[in-house]
């Protein structure tokens, strides 16, 4: 539905102008990524200022001394007059701006500014309180000045920060006169306070940063008023450039993928006279869409393969106009640009001649002929003849008009004078786009016919997912999942058929020996005799032969069902024409995500380790009993053997024991990268898959191990808690604390099961986590030795950790009363549960706090509990990181992970 608008005076009064079609309502407020980036930058700057104040005391003192000496010659009368004028103006200017905005009916911005000012005032009060009562003395000295009447000045000025927050939130930066006047007033006020000795330079800087940061935090939290132009604004803009529009119809079928959302909104505009127009409207909100993804690509990929993540509207307008003219000059079919214009300060429009047609994505497969495919490559050849790169040759950027002519659209992201690497990436992208529709053979044949075999062969090193568009990578991942599902179904069907054939062969050995095809016929027909056949017993040799036969059948079925991905098919087709073509992929990544995560994890680990070590006196470490330290090291090493046993006990397939132990050591490194409850599960699942266990069964095995471990953890916690409550009494009766804890847990369980949405949430998560676990448990129950190994590994793992913690306590606890093993076990089990639930890598912070508080609660002095927990965490978390990293790389090189 459209809405009529008033025509201009020069328009025909009997021709209504309207916006029709599906014109969606725009959100009143939007959360801009740029506001979030400014918020994070402000927080980082505040942290740096506080760090300078804390550690660069000599520098800050010298700066204050220089300022005092330089300002000592200023006339006292001038300082007083400037201070009076600035203190009045710093309040009058924002009020005057608010009145001006209210007159222009822009009250929302004023409300945002007032909210930001209130929050900034609260932050300044909290900062003043922290500096006065809890901050180190160096920070207090850097942010305050002693007053003549006694006391100290305010560390942060609680009237300047709100004014700065208000000024930023209301958008004064876009109005130069108001901005200049207010900054002059603020600088004058800061100067007079510095000269008079009422503040310090770092205090002024911190005040400005707090106001600026709070403003952008407020804008990102509540959203900024949406200034995106509407259809009516578009019609008014078209009239300003000489057109006489009648209607503007929002174009349908325009994709909204993350890598193309910055292309703008499309309109088909009809005029009073003449053909219709295609108009694209681009605003700042659309341009900011996908900012973080583009920034991540710019960090991780080489600069020659990425575009700038931040481009102004004016630059985007000029770039698209230049590319449109250059493409037509190169002889390519591209939309003809006939006008451009700004639609206010936050949007631009580009006016093209209307092209009727459909995108390649909207065509049916039978409509995509070989001639159409060759025509698409001819357009790319025309662009590359003038060194023009399109950079986004996806199906929605290739338009086919009514006459079958191929037209390349969406040139905004292209490049002029592009390098060879970028041009070859275009060919690789187009080969993949067309291969997804017509197959690798037809796509390669058309490319070779138009571009030549050498040009097509040169693009093979660029034929890798990272060089393709985001939407193309998503399509390839979807196809890969579908191929994997088909392969799994084929393997399962082959396994069932092989099992059925063996059962029939055992039931009818004479018939199977005489004519094996009879047995296979019975399998296919599903005869009654075959369906009732039960497996008979056999010797170990027969069982071993059966397993080998089953494995051969599975391998054969997997080979028959395996399908190559599209990129591999394209490579094979090109290699048939040019066998000597280079196939080694070009390295496009500047830094791999795994490397970046490893560096961040290493920095976090080093920070927490050094902070904990620094908080422990050296005298405490020197007085440790090194015999118990050695025992703790031994128990920590035993835990990896126990972890391997607890995993293999739920894996019926044969997996190497010592390699599994190495994988558990590698898990020590993964725990630093991911939360403890996530990293180990992912690593074990991947390890089992690489060891030959089918993906579904690998997930089920790890899930069974986790499920049994959860149950064992709860039972052990209750058991040791019961023992802890009875160890000091004559009767075998638990303490009231244990009973209260059990009742609390029971009440929580009842609350979760009674509330529908919570019950659904928990059941959904558990179902997804332990899907397929029950059948796997049934397989394990048929192998008693496996079950004993799993249970023994679970108990040994818990016992090793408890003994490691107890040995750490005894290493520092000489001369202090010891606590029982039951109490140590309760503290460990509770702390481990909190560590698994904490979102931090390895449960950092949560485990240390829980263990220390737990040990103090059961009677251990704090001076013993703190170094004991530190030693325990060093042995079980931090020290194994380096061996874990070595084992992780070793397993990766041997394709065991």
């Amino acid at each position: 539905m459209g809405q009529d608008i008033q025509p201009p005076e020069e328009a025909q009064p009997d021709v209504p102008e309207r916006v029709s079609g599906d014109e969606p309502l725009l959100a009143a407020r939007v959360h801009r990524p740029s506001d979030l980036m400014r918020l994070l930058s402000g927080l980082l700057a505040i942290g740096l200022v506080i760090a300078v104040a804390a550690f660069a005391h000599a520098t800050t003192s010298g700066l204050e001394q220089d300022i005092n000496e330089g300002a000592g010659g200023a006339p006292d009368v001038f300082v007083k007059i400037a201070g009076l004028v600035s203190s009045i103006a710093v309040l009058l200017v924002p009020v005057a701006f608010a009145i001006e905005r209210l007159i222009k009916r822009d009250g929302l911005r004023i409300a945002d500014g007032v909210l930001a000012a209130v929050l900034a005032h609260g932050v300044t009060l909290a900062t003043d309180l922290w500096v006065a009562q809890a901050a180190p003395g160096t920070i207090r000295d850097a942010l305050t000045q002693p007053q003549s009447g006694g006391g100290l000045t305010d560390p942060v000025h609680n009237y300047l920060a709100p004014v700065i927050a208000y000024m930023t939130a209301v958008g004064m930066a876009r109005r130069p006169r108001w901005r200049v006047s207010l900054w002059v007033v603020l600088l004058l006020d800061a100067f007079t306070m510095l000269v008079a000795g009422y503040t310090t330079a770092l205090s002024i800087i911190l005040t400005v940063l707090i106001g600026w940061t709070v403003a952008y935090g407020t804008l990102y939290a509540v959203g900024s008023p949406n200034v995106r132009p509407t259809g009516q604004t578009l019609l008014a803009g078209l009239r300003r450039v000489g057109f006489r529009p009648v209607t503007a119809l929002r174009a349908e079928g325009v994709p909204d993928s993350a890598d193309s959302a910055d292309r703008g909104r499309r309109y088909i505009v009809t005029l009073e006279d003449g053909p219709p127009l295609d108009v694209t409207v681009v605003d700042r909100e659309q341009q900011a869409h996908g900012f973080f993804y583009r920034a991540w690509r710019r960090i991780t990929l080489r600069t020659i393969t990425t575009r700038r993540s931040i481009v102004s509207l004016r630059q985007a307008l000029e770039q698209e106009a230049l590319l449109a003219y250059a493409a037509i000059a190169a002889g390519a079919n591209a939309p003809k640009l006939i006008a451009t214009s700004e639609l206010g300060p936050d949007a631009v429009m580009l006016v093209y001649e209307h092209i009727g047609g459909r995108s390649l994505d909207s065509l049916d497969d039978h409509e995509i002929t070989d001639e159409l495919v060759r025509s698409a490559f001819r357009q790319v050849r025309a662009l590359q003849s003038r060194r023009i790169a399109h950079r986004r040759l996806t199906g929605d950027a290739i338009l086919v008009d009514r006459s079958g002519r191929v037209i390349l659209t969406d040139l905004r992201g292209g490049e002029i004078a592009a390098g060879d690497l970028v041009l070859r990436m275009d060919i690789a992208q187009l080969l993949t786009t067309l291969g997804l529709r017509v197959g690798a053979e037809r796509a390669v044949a058309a490319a070779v016919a138009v571009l030549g075999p050498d040009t097509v062969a040169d693009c093979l090193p660029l034929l890798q997912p990272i060089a393709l568009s985001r939407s193309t990578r998503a399509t390839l991942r979807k196809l890969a999942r579908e191929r994997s599902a088909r392969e799994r179904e084929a393997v399962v069907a082959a396994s069932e058929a092989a099992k059925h054939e063996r059962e029939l062969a055992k039931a009818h050995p004479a018939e199977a020996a005489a004519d094996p095809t009879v047995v296979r016929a019975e399998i296919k027909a599903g005869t009654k005799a075959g369906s009732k056949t039960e497996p008979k017993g056999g010797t170990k040799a027969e069982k071993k032969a059966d397993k080998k036969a089953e494995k051969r059948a599975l391998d054969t079925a997997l080979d028959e069902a395996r399908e190559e991905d599209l990129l591999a098919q394209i490579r094979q087709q090109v290699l048939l024409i040019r066998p000597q073509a280079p196939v080694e992929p070009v390295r496009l990544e500047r830094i791999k995500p795994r490397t970046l995560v490893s560096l961040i994890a290493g920095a976090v680990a080093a920070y927490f380790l050094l902070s904990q070590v620094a908080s422990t006196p050296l005298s405490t470490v020197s007085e440790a009993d090194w015999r118990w330290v050695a025992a703790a090291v031994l128990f920590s090493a035993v835990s990896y053997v126990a972890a391997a046993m607890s995993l293999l006990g739920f894996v019926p397939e044969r997996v190497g024991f010592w390699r599994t132990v190495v994988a558990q050591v590698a898990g020590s490194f993964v725990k630093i990268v991911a939360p403890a409850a996530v990293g180990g599960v992912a690593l074990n699942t991947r390890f089992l898959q690489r060891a030959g266990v089918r993906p579904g069964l690998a997930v089920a095995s790890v899930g069974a191990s986790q499920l049994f471990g959860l149950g064992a953890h709860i039972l052990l916690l209750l058991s040791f808690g019961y023992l802890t409550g009875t160890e000091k009494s004559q009767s075998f009766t638990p303490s009231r604390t244990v009973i209260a804890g059990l009742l609390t847990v029971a009440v929580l369980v009842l609350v979760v099961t009674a509330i529908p949405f919570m019950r659904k949430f928990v059941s959904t998560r558990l179902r997804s986590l332990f899907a397929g676990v029950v059948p796997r448990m049934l397989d394990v129950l048929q192998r008693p030795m496996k079950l004993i190994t799993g249970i023994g590994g679970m108990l040994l793992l818990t016992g090793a950790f408890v003994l490691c913690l107890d040995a750490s306590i005894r290493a520092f606890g000489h001369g202090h009363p010891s606590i029982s093993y039951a109490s140590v076990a309760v503290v460990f089990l509770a702390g481990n549960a909190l560590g698994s639930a904490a979102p931090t890598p390895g449960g950092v912070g949560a485990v240390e706090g829980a263990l220390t508080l737990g040990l103090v609660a059961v009677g251990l002095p704090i001076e013993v509990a703190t170094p004991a927990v530190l030693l325990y965490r060093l042995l079980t978390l931090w020290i194994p990181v380096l061996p874990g990293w070595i084992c992780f790389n070793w397993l990766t090189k041997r394709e065991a992970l």
Side-chain angles (χ1 to χ4, degrees), residues 713-796:
H713 194 100
I714 295 174
L715 290 176
L716 289 173
L717 182 59
L718 295 177
S719 301
F720 283 114
Y722 187 91
L723 294 175
T724 303
T726 60
E727 61 186 5
K728 294 183 180 180
S729 62
Q730 298 296 329
S731 61
F732 202 68
T733 305
S735 66
R736 294 182 178 180
T737 304
V738 175
I739 296 176
L742 294 176
L743 290 177
T744 302
V745 173
V747 170
L748 291 176
V749 173
L750 290 176
V751 169
V752 171
T753 55
I755 301 176
F757 80 90
M758 294 184 66
R759 182 172 64 248
K760 182 179 179 181
F761 176 82
V762 173
S763 62
T764 302
R765 294 301 184 276
L766 291 177
R767 192 180 301 114
S768 61
L769 181 61
F770 301 114
V773 168
V774 175
R776 199 60 165 170
M777 290 294 293
L778 295 177
D779 292 340
V780 174
L781 290 175
Q782 297 176 5
R783 296 170 172 83
M785 291 304 299
K786 283 285 187 180
L787 187 60
I788 293 174
T789 302
I791 296 175
M794 292 286 182
L795 297 177
L796 181 60

Side-chain angles (χ1 to χ4, degrees), residues 623 625 809-818 860-861 863-864:
E623 296 174 358
D625 189 340
I809 295 171
R810 295 178 187 275
F812 298 98
H814 44 274
H816 296 279
S818 60
L860 196 67
E863 59 269 16
V864 177

Side-chain angles (χ1 to χ4, degrees), residues 109-460:
R109 289 188 182 274
I110 301 303
D112 295 341
V114 172
L115 176 61
V118 172
L119 294 177
H121 184 69
V123 172
T124 56
L125 292 179
T127 305
D128 288 344
L129 184 64
W130 172 71
V131 172
Q133 298 184 1
T138 53
I139 295 179
R140 190 181 303 112
D141 295 340
L143 298 178
T144 59
Q145 288 273 32
Q147 293 180 327
S148 57
L152 299 174
T153 59
D154 292 333
V156 180
H157 302 281
N158 52 20
Y159 70 92
L160 277 183
V163 170
I164 294 171
Y166 170 87
M167 175 191 73
T168 306
V170 298
M172 274 191 179
R174 299 181 182 178
R175 293 165 177 83
R177 293 181 180 178
W178 287 101
R179 179 187 61 197
V180 171
S181 60
L182 186 57
W183 274 114
V184 168
V185 170
L186 289 175
L187 292 175
L188 184 62
D189 187 70
F191 171 75
T192 55
M193 287 192 298
L194 282 173
V195 171
Y198 294 142
T199 188
T200 65
L202 285 183
S203 176
I204 292 293
I205 296 173
L206 186 60
T207 300
V208 173
L209 288 175
I210 287 177
W212 189 76
T213 304
V214 170
Y216 284 112
T218 304
L219 289 177
Y220 186 76
V222 304
S224 303
N226 197 340
V227 295
R228 295 177 65 177
T230 61
Q232 287 89 348
T233 308
L234 169 64
L235 295 178
L238 287 171
R239 290 196 299 270
R240 285 196 299 271
V241 293
F243 296 101
R244 306 184 69 178
V246 178
T247 61
L249 177 65
R250 180 71 180 271
E252 299 179 355
V254 177
D256 193 24
S257 60
D259 61 343
S260 61
D262 60 343
R263 293 162 52 201
R265 288 176 289 156
R266 313 294 182 81
Y267 292 88
I268 300 175
V269 178
T270 58
L271 305 176
E272 292 182 16
D273 52 355
L277 304 172
D278 288 334
V279 181
T280 300
V281 177
V282 182
D283 55 57
R284 296 187 188 278
E285 301 306 325
Q286 288 172 312
Q287 199 176 27
H289 189 88
F291 166 77
F292 295 112
Y293 170 74
R294 294 194 299 271
W296 171 252
R297 295 273 290 181
R298 188 166 181 82
I299 292 172
T300 56
L301 298 186
R302 293 165 58 186
T303 306
I304 55 176
T305 64
T306 56
R307 293 166 285 182
R308 293 178 58 185
S309 56
I310 300 179
V311 180
S312 67
L313 278 175
R314 169 63 64 177
Q315 289 173 326
L317 178 67
E318 293 173 349
Q319 183 180 10
E320 184 163 355
L322 176 61
L323 284 163
Y325 294 136
I328 294 176
N333 297 331
K336 184 178 180 181
L337 183 66
I338 57 179
T340 59
S341 177
E342 292 184 349
L343 295 178
D346 299 305
V348 295
M349 70 173 181
L350 300 101
V351 183
Y352 294 93
E353 288 185 349
H354 176 65
I355 301 175
R358 293 185 296 166
S359 67
L360 185 70
D361 286 341
S362 63
L363 296 178
D364 295 332
D365 290 342
H366 69 273
E367 297 180 274
I368 306 177
T369 62
D370 290 340
E371 176 57 31
L372 191 149
V373 177
R374 287 192 293 269
S375 180
F377 280 107
R378 280 194 286 268
Q379 302 309 310
V380 173
R381 182 183 62 185
L383 290 179
Q384 298 200 352
S385 66
R386 301 294 178 88
R387 312 292 296 182
I388 302 173
H390 189 284
R391 299 300 302 270
R392 218 189 65 81
L393 287 168
T394 55
D396 57 297
I398 301 173
L399 197 68
V400 182
D401 64 8
R402 295 181 180 86
S403 63
R405 187 177 58 144
V406 174
I407 302 169
L408 300 181
T409 62
D410 302 323
L411 291 163
R412 180 177 310 145
E415 291 184 17
I416 301 293
D420 291 336
L421 187 66
V422 178
L423 296 178
R424 290 154 59 194
M425 287 175 64
D426 263 5
I427 298 176
Q429 174 66 59
L430 187 58
L431 273 172
T432 307
T433 298
L434 295 173
L436 288 171
R437 298 304 310 274
V438 302
E441 184 177 356
R442 291 177 59 189
V444 171
V448 170
V450 175
L451 303 175
D454 294 334
T455 303
V456 177
D458 289 340
C459 79
L460 287 188

Side-chain angles (χ1 to χ4, degrees), residues 672-697:
I672 299 298
V673 180
V678 177
V681 173
L683 182 136
N684 285 329
T685 303
R686 180 67 173 173
F687 171 73
L688 292 179
Q689 291 178 8
R690 287 291 190 176
V693 182
R694 294 198 296 273
L697 297 181

